[in-house]
């Protein structure tokens, strides 16, 4: 058991250090940014010194930088991200109210990325020629097109011109939410699905030429078993690694997609907070995005020995 516990402890420890360093950088960037909470709250109005001092006391603005950071970090550890300057409510509650929309959007996009990217990638590797060439061209265009351009094009065609999908809002109820989030999910997933497609294709082409795949064919295995049971299983590690990275990175892209489609999610909340210098919200959202990215990397690291038995054997030998 110690053969895998020690590497796991090292990974967790290193990722914890990454989160700590990120929290310091995020807080420091907000500290050095022009403007301050009291300047936003006052908005040029004439206020008394007592009011200004109350604002400074509330946000600990008179404390030294390190003291402010320690106070903020202590609150974060206990789930307290402070009070939103713009909305005048706890940041944790504000974010929690936006999580369902973003989580469903990212989950929807993740399914599209995996299904389209993997299935079309395998098809392109197996059915060479016209199918492969078409997949390469389409994926190249998709990877090169910014998500906001895709979002605007989808809205113009399918929402405005054809009227098949709603252009704004997240809907009510699970089914209606899925209907409203279809276009945003496609816009969010398109470039990542193309990247997964290219990686799956390359990995499958390499795996299909391996000796164990040829042996499976000689032994009379069915085509589906050779493709999925042998080749795909042997080349799945790079696909899973990339998929973990791109799916965790969707939280960043949601800032664009949610803004275009008028969704009240974490991404649009971050954009609003940046525009009005709502420091507590910006710090919290960025830290959460980094935490999700770090945890996704940890999950991929833990899956690697399971997907690649040779890595597990080497780990045990040490």
């Amino acid at each position: 058991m110690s053969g895998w516990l020690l590497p796991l402890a090292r990974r967790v420890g290193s990722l914890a250090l990454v989160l700590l360093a990120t929290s310091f950088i995020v807080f420091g960037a907000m500290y050095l940014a022009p403007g301050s909470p009291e300047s936003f709250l006052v908005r040029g109005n004439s206020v008394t010194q007592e009011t200004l001092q109350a604002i400074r006391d509330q946000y600990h603005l008179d404390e030294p930088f390190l003291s402010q950071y320690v106070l903020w970090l202590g609150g974060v550890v206990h789930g307290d991200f402070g009070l939103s300057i713009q909305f005048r409510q706890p940041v944790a509650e504000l974010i929690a109210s936006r999580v369902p929309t973003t989580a469903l959007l990212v989950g929807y996009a993740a399914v599209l990325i995996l299904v389209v990217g993997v299935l079309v990638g395998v098809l392109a590797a197996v059915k060479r020629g016209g199918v492969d060439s078409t997949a390469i061209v389409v994926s190249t265009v998709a990877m090169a097109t910014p998500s906001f351009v895709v979002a605007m094009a989808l809205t113009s065609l399918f929402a405005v011109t054809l009227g098949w999908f709603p252009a704004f809002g997240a809907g009510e109820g699970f089914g209606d939410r899925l209907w409203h989030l279809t276009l945003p999910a496609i816009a969010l997933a398109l470039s990542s699905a193309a990247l997964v497609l290219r990686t799956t294709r390359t990995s499958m082409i390499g795996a299909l030429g391996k000796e164990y795949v040829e042996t499976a064919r000689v032994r009379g295995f069915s085509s589906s078993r050779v493709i999925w049971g042998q080749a795909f299983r042997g080349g799945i590690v790079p696909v899973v690694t990339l998929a973990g990275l791109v799916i965790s990175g969707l939280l960043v892209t949601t800032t664009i997609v949610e803004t275009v489609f008028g969704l009240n999610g974490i991404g649009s909340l971050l954009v609003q907070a940046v525009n009005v210098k709502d420091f507590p919200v910006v710090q919290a959202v960025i830290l959460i995005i980094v935490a999700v990215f770090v945890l996704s990397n940890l999950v991929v690291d833990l899956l690697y020995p399971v997907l690649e038995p040779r890595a597990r054997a080497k780990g045990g030998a040490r």
Side-chain angles (χ1 to χ4, degrees):
M1 184 176 292
S2 60
W4 61 269
L5 276 179
L6 184 58
L8 175 60
R10 288 175 178 171
R11 288 191 186 100
V12 173
S14 63
L15 294 178
L17 290 177
V18 169
L19 280 177
L20 182 62
T22 301
S23 70
F24 184 82
I25 294 172
V26 169
F27 188 87
M30 291 295 98
Y31 184 87
L32 296 174
S36 61
E38 69 261 36
S39 63
F40 173 77
L41 292 172
V42 172
R43 298 181 183 181
N45 296 323
S46 178
V47 296
T48 64
Q49 288 297 322
E50 289 78 8
T51 301
L52 287 175
Q53 189 59 47
I55 296 173
R56 296 190 184 101
D57 292 340
Q58 181 179 10
Y59 293 97
H60 308 287
L61 300 179
D62 289 335
E63 299 282 345
F65 168 74
L66 288 179
S67 297
Q68 291 186 41
Y69 171 70
V70 171
L71 288 170
W72 175 75
L73 185 62
V76 169
V77 171
H78 293 89
D80 180 12
F81 292 95
L83 193 67
S84 168
I85 298 173
Q86 180 183 10
F87 296 98
R88 309 291 183 89
Q89 69 180 94
V91 175
E93 294 180 4
L94 188 61
I95 292 176
S97 67
R98 305 287 189 107
V99 164
T101 298
T102 298
L104 185 57
L105 174 61
V106 171
Y108 196 168
V111 171
L112 294 177
I113 290 170
L114 294 176
V115 172
V116 175
V118 171
L119 290 182
V120 179
V122 171
L123 182 64
V126 175
K127 303 286 187 181
R128 308 301 296 276
V131 174
D132 187 30
S133 300
T134 302
I136 291 176
V137 171
V138 173
S139 62
T140 301
V141 174
M143 291 168 58
T145 307
S147 58
F148 75 90
V149 174
V150 176
M152 296 299 294
L154 290 175
T155 302
S156 176
L157 177 60
F158 294 104
V160 177
T161 303
L162 299 176
W164 291 356
F165 295 94
F168 299 100
E172 298 292 338
F174 183 75
D176 191 42
R177 280 179 175 269
L178 285 181
W179 188 249
H180 277 74
L181 293 178
T182 296
L183 293 184
I186 294 173
L188 189 63
L190 187 62
S191 61
S192 297
L195 187 57
V196 171
L197 184 159
R198 297 290 288 266
T199 303
T200 303
R201 172 188 172 275
T202 302
S203 181
M204 282 293 295
I205 290 175
L208 287 170
K210 297 293 184 180
E211 183 178 350
Y212 64 86
V213 176
E214 295 296 333
T215 302
R217 287 197 181 101
V218 172
R219 292 177 62 184
F221 288 2
S222 64
S223 297
S224 61
R225 186 174 178 183
V226 170
I227 294 171
W228 296 104
Q230 302 295 320
F232 182 72
R233 185 178 179 182
I236 195 175
V237 171
V239 178
V240 171
T241 302
L242 177 65
L245 293 175
V246 298
I247 290 174
S248 60
L250 292 179
L251 283 175
V252 177
T253 318
T254 56
T255 57
I256 300 171
V257 174
E258 288 181 359
T259 301
V260 172
F261 288 95
L263 302 175
N264 286 325
I266 294 178
S268 60
L269 176 63
L270 177 60
V271 173
Q272 295 173 24
V274 169
N275 289 335
V276 299
K277 296 183 175 63
D278 194 342
F279 298 155
V281 173
V282 175
Q283 291 165 343
V285 173
I286 293 179
L287 189 61
I288 289 172
I289 291 175
V290 174
V292 170
F293 191 83
V294 167
L295 290 175
S296 299
N297 277 290
L298 177 60
V299 171
V300 170
D301 286 343
L302 295 178
L303 285 176
Y304 183 76
V306 177
L307 300 172
E308 181 54 79
R310 288 171 295 180
R312 183 170 63 249
K314 291 178 183 178
R318 287 195 296 270

